[in-house]
Amino acid sequence: MSRPRLFSVPEAIATELNLTELRTHDGAGRVLLSGRDLAIYGIDKALDEGAEELSPDETKEIFHI
Amino acid sequence: MKTATAYIINTPLSVSLYMDIIGGGLEQTKNADGLFDPDRTLFPLALRPRLAVKDPDHVLADGDHTTGLIDTRWYIGTDDKGTRITESTSGFSLGAYGELTVRRNVEPSSPLSLYFTCGYIDPRTQKTIRKSQQVTLTTVQNVELNLSLEIDAAQKMAISPFKNQALRTITATFRNGSDPVPDAKAVYSWQVLERATLTWRAIGADDPFYVSGQGTKALVIDRRYIDREAIRLEAHHKSAPSRVVSAMTKAYRYYGQWDEREMLTRGKFVRHDTREIEARAVIDTPRGQVTRPEDYFDITHIFTTNEKGAPEKVIGYGEKAVVGAGIAGRDPNVLAVFGCEVRERTALRVCTIGGRAVQVNGKVMCISIPKP
């Protein structure tokens, strides 16, 4: 079963998508985006630029949610 | 003094209200595990009003006049009769110029309508122009199911009457793909085949073998009441009631291999002072002798002699029978012969009179009878 995808991305990508104010930050220059957020930008492109896919547990740990 | 009044005529403005949607769309999906995509509590959606003005007289600059918005209000509903959204409304937050941030997920069965209304003062006339717009947030139930169901009972489940434990739990494993379906998402129905009509019906308290577990993944049955029952479990995921999967077992009472023999435990050699002869039925199985055989078998002890045409006489029932030694007689040429007839017994069955269950002190009376 497909689960919603979660990504930790460099802040520059979130800025380009105009999502910096709407999304959670880790305080170290990375932003939590959903797979849908990145669909327009291109997930492969984002991964090439330093985005990382996270598991739900990793997301909780890194972004304290 | 004669006067003349000059009237300023302004051509009406062309005012358009747009709603920019930032950080997602108006539609979410919800999968079979109940997860929303996107989850708006993590990935909120912003609804940002944008006012575009076009002045045919070119007094005002054409373009974005969002910063001129006044009296911006949001309501939950389709008009301004709904519940007004304030800073304290859970799941929403209000920003500048009517921006609304939504941190609330919407259930597929309950689309969420939001109504926005605002004012704009025409700088040329100081008259207020009101505009409004409605948006609806929806969720699509995304059904991705690859369901399978197993029960920890063989297709044919032999139930031994000799087992000490009367209760047997049949446990189901319900999976979607490789993931177990959480109990909260699963619906279970245990059924039994009604042999008279060959139809399945739900197992209930009226079934003597039923102990507990209807509606759950673990059915507890009492072996003592099962002769031959076909038991089926039907299950479905709450998100897809029509996608029913099932598993079945046929439970039947089975004694296995056994053999009986009659032993004379007292009075095998009848002397003048022998008073009694005790005959005992012994049941042997591959696992050894059955203790308390009368608990499982119907046993009849019979006496006869080796004389031709000698009658057979029932001398007792149960594991053992005791008779006076005189039954053997005094003729050394006539041999006393003792035997036993052993029959398996049915499971406990509801005792009925005229089709109605007999009750004793409020409890249904059950009976176990020799098998034909």
Side-chain angles (χ1 to χ4, degrees):
Chain A
M1 179 180 304
S2 67
R3 291 178 172 277
R5 299 177 74 181
L6 305 163
F7 294 89
S8 164
V9 306
E11 204 166 308
I13 295 177
T15 303
E16 193 163 331
L17 289 167
N18 199 22
L19 289 173
T20 46
E21 290 177 12
L22 275 175
R23 296 295 179 252
T24 307
H25 295 245
D26 69 350
R30 298 185 73 85
V31 182
L32 177 65
L33 296 188
S34 70
R36 285 197 178 195
D37 288 337
L38 280 178
I40 299 170
Y41 191 82
I43 289 176
D44 290 341
K45 183 182 173 200
L47 291 171
D48 288 344
E49 294 173 7
E52 290 174 27
E53 184 158 8
L54 303 177
S55 68
D57 287 341
E58 289 171 330
T59 305
K60 285 177 190 167
E61 190 179 324
I62 295 169
F63 289 93
H64 310 293
I65 52 174
Chain B
M1 184 174 67
K2 303 289 186 185
T3 60
T5 302
Y7 295 94
I8 300 169
I9 306 294
N10 288 304
T11 309
L13 293 175
S14 171
V15 179
S16 299
L17 178 66
Y18 300 95
M19 193 61 68
D20 290 341
I21 299 162
I22 316 292
L26 298 178
E27 185 181 289
Q28 293 173 279
T29 58
K30 186 180 184 185
N31 70 16
D33 284 339
L35 297 174
F36 288 92
D37 186 20
D39 177 355
R40 288 207 182 104
T41 62
L42 278 181
F43 304 105
L45 169 76
L47 299 172
R48 189 174 292 166
R50 180 163 52 85
L51 194 76
V53 172
K54 186 173 175 62
D55 180 2
D57 298 333
H58 304 294
V59 175
L60 300 177
D62 288 348
D64 189 350
H65 285 246
T66 305
T67 54
L69 287 177
I70 59 165
D71 192 23
T72 57
R73 301 179 196 186
W74 282 95
Y75 296 88
I76 296 174
T78 55
D79 54 30
D80 60 4
K81 306 288 190 301
T83 304
R84 185 169 177 185
I85 296 171
T86 65
E87 284 299 342
S88 61
T89 306
S90 173
F92 299 96
S93 53
L94 296 165
Y97 309 117
E99 181 172 316
L100 179 72
T101 303
V102 182
R103 300 175 196 277
R104 179 187 283 193
N105 292 316
V106 175
E107 288 299 328
S109 56
S110 309
L112 180 67
S113 292
L114 299 170
Y115 181 81
F116 175 70
T117 177
C118 61
Y120 175 73
I121 298 173
D122 184 343
R124 306 166 311 167
T125 64
Q126 299 305 306
K127 287 183 179 172
T128 301
I129 301 165
R130 291 211 70 85
K131 301 294 285 184
S132 64
Q133 190 162 138
Q134 187 210 319
V135 295
T136 303
L137 305 180
T138 58
T139 296
V140 173
Q141 182 72 55
N142 193 359
V143 180
E144 294 177 42
L145 296 175
N146 179 20
L147 301 174
S148 63
L149 182 68
E150 292 173 14
I151 54 176
D152 63 350
Q155 280 192 328
K156 289 185 177 178
M157 179 170 64
I159 291 181
S160 169
F162 305 126
K163 295 259 185 182
N164 289 328
Q165 278 192 321
L167 303 185
R168 162 77 152 92
T169 303
I170 305 174
T171 305
T173 305
F174 187 27
R175 286 194 175 90
N176 183 20
S178 59
D179 299 331
V181 177
D183 290 345
K185 302 286 178 188
V187 176
Y188 297 103
S189 171
W190 292 92
Q191 302 168 345
V192 63
L193 184 67
E194 194 70 68
R195 282 202 292 269
T197 57
L198 290 179
T199 53
W200 294 95
R201 62 165 178 78
I203 293 171
D206 288 343
D207 292 300
F209 64 83
Y210 173 69
V211 177
S212 64
Q214 178 59 282
T216 73
K217 64 183 175 189
L219 179 75
V220 182
I221 58 174
D222 191 328
R223 303 168 194 265
R224 296 173 300 166
Y225 295 87
I226 289 198
D227 264 321
R228 184 162 58 94
E229 301 288 358
I231 294 171
R232 180 171 80 173
L233 173 62
E234 281 194 344
H236 69 260
H237 199 286
K238 280 184 177 171
S239 66
S242 62
R243 303 266 298 270
V244 177
V245 288
S246 65
M248 193 184 85
T249 182
K250 286 180 181 172
Y252 62 98
R253 187 174 171 91
Y254 179 60
Y255 276 74
Q257 288 183 323
W258 60 271
D259 199 9
E260 81 275 28
R261 58 191 162 95
E262 183 86 330
M263 281 178 64
L264 295 181
T265 45
R266 277 193 289 143
K268 185 173 176 65
F269 302 101
V270 179
R271 297 182 176 86
H272 72 280
D273 59 345
T274 302
R275 296 279 177 269
E276 292 179 336
I277 299 172
E278 182 182 280
R280 191 165 78 92
V282 175
I283 314 288
D284 296 302
T285 74
R287 293 187 171 186
Q289 277 184 15
V290 177
T291 54
R292 297 194 314 276
E294 71 272 24
D295 288 354
Y296 314 102
F297 294 93
D298 182 76
I299 303 169
T300 305
H301 294 272
I302 296 161
F303 169 78
T304 187
T305 68
N306 65 340
E307 288 180 303
K308 188 176 181 182
E312 293 184 353
K313 182 182 173 187
V314 173
I315 55 169
Y317 301 96
E319 184 177 359
K320 61 187 178 183
V322 178
V323 290
I327 197 171
R330 292 292 171 191
D331 185 348
N333 296 315
V334 177
L335 297 178
V337 178
F338 292 85
C340 62
E341 186 178 279
V342 178
R343 286 196 287 170
E344 295 177 355
R345 291 218 309 250
T346 67
L348 288 164
R349 296 173 176 177
V350 173
C351 193
T352 59
I353 295 177
R356 300 185 67 177
V358 177
Q359 293 201 341
V360 178
N361 296 331
K363 291 184 176 176
V364 173
M365 189 169 88
C366 292
I367 188 169
S368 171
I369 59 173
K371 282 187 181 176

